[in-house]
Amino acid sequence: MANVLRVKGDLRAADRAFSRALRLWAADAGSLLPFDETRLLDLEGSLRRGQRRFDEALALLDRALEKAPSGAAAARLLLNKSATLEQKGDVLGAVLVLEGAAARVGDTAEPRLLWGILFNRIACLCHLGRVEEAARLLPQVREQAAALNNRFDLVRTRWLLGRVALGRGRRDEAREAFEQVRADFVAGGMAYDAAIVNLDLALLLLEEGRTPDVQELARQVLALCRAGGVGREALAALDLFARARDHDELSAMARRLVRYLEQARHAPGLRFANG
């Protein structure tokens, strides 16, 4: 229940539910249930990450890693740790942890776990500007996505293809990917993800000097997010972007907004630092 509340973004209720769970565990429920303690530490780590209590989250995950067996269980914990480091702003640290997760998981893991490790690794490499390294991993993540045959895993994999293409200067390929991904997210009612894709498109248009088109795109993003029930802080950040007029200002804001929205997905009250 605590984890469901965390995913919904109700962190206060999640904290209360988790406190109750910990009290029950301490009262010896743990000896009565077939429940791995590392899973408890993992879930609490996710909650602390959502609360942006990153050092606490990392300490919990390290405790879990000390107790975890090798293989898929450890790889899942490392995936959580990498997400915590990435949201903390340590993208390089996240990449290093993901490399460790890939080494631990081997070829025998759950297919979606392997896909998640590859996906996050490529996304982090794109943020670091290491697009050639990201490109070398694309065939693996595409193969995993095809094997899973999950609609939105395939859509997100195409999104990565667009980001790598943009980083390599292949604008037409990137535009085609972003426009298809945006349409898929809109059709699926996923306004938040569609907004981030629109910002990727905005960066592409800005590279081409099409500032008026970016301003129209910014207004579309804002309208889409308002209709989709996106949180107040994120809407305020997008409103700033929609009001911007200068090319350089739009470009700088678009890059910061992509990172901000990716982080605010897990922390709805996070404020946007403009500057």
Side-chain angles (χ1 to χ4, degrees):
M1 178 60 72
N3 199 51
V4 169
L5 291 165
R6 175 190 68 83
V7 172
K8 285 182 62 180
D10 191 346
L11 298 181
R12 289 184 179 178
D15 200 305
R16 289 193 297 270
F18 217 103
S19 294
R20 186 180 178 209
L22 290 171
R23 287 195 301 272
L24 291 168
W25 186 269
D28 210 28
S31 65
L32 303 175
L33 297 171
F35 197 66
D36 184 353
E37 185 183 1
T38 62
R39 185 67 175 137
L40 196 68
L41 293 166
D42 185 20
L43 291 174
E44 187 181 0
S46 294
L47 174 59
R48 303 308 167 211
R49 182 187 71 202
Q51 295 169 321
R52 304 190 67 76
R53 292 158 58 176
F54 297 121
D55 290 340
E56 291 178 54
L58 291 169
L60 287 162
L61 294 169
D62 284 339
R63 279 176 55 198
L65 283 163
E66 290 174 2
K67 300 171 180 288
S70 58
R76 274 192 292 273
L77 290 165
L78 289 169
L79 187 59
N80 194 348
K81 183 175 181 178
S82 72
T84 304
L85 287 167
E86 191 272 334
Q87 289 180 40
K88 187 181 180 182
D90 185 2
V91 183
L92 179 58
V95 169
L96 294 174
V97 169
L98 287 166
E99 290 173 357
R104 298 279 283 272
V105 77
D107 296 324
T108 60
E110 303 162 16
R112 197 169 191 282
L113 175 60
L114 185 55
W115 175 85
I117 291 169
L118 286 167
F119 181 93
N120 287 8
R121 192 172 165 191
I122 294 170
C124 286
L125 288 169
C126 287
H127 282 309
L128 291 170
R130 292 160 56 177
V131 290
E132 294 307 319
E133 289 179 63
R136 287 195 288 272
L137 294 172
L138 282 177
Q140 296 178 57
V141 80
R142 293 177 73 174
E143 181 181 346
Q144 289 295 323
L148 289 166
N149 198 30
N150 177 289
R151 177 187 175 191
F152 285 109
D153 288 346
L154 291 165
V155 171
R156 291 182 188 283
T157 299
R158 188 173 182 83
W159 190 1
L160 277 188
L161 299 180
R163 284 187 168 182
V164 171
L166 181 59
R168 301 175 95 183
R170 300 177 181 177
R171 292 192 180 92
D172 289 344
E173 183 181 338
R175 181 182 294 104
E176 181 183 355
F178 291 151
E179 288 177 350
Q180 182 60 59
V181 169
R182 178 181 59 184
D184 288 337
F185 281 145
V186 170
M190 301 169 70
Y192 202 96
D193 295 277
I196 301 176
V197 179
N198 268 334
L199 291 170
D200 285 325
L201 270 169
L203 286 168
L204 188 153
L205 294 173
L206 286 164
E207 285 188 4
E208 296 176 345
R210 295 166 58 182
T211 303
D213 291 336
V214 173
Q215 292 168 340
E216 175 58 31
L217 188 63
R219 288 189 286 271
Q220 293 174 17
V221 171
L222 188 58
L224 180 68
C225 288
R226 282 176 175 155
V230 170
R232 182 179 61 186
E233 295 294 341
L235 283 176
L238 289 165
D239 185 58
L240 281 174
F241 182 61
R243 294 172 185 273
R245 294 291 178 268
D246 178 75
H247 176 278
D248 291 339
E249 182 185 5
L250 280 164
S251 183
M253 282 192 69
R255 293 183 189 282
R256 288 198 299 274
L257 272 169
V258 168
R259 296 289 294 125
Y260 165 75
L261 290 178
E262 288 174 345
Q263 294 178 327
R265 180 198 303 277
H266 307 285
L270 181 65
R271 291 183 178 273
F272 175 62
N274 183 30

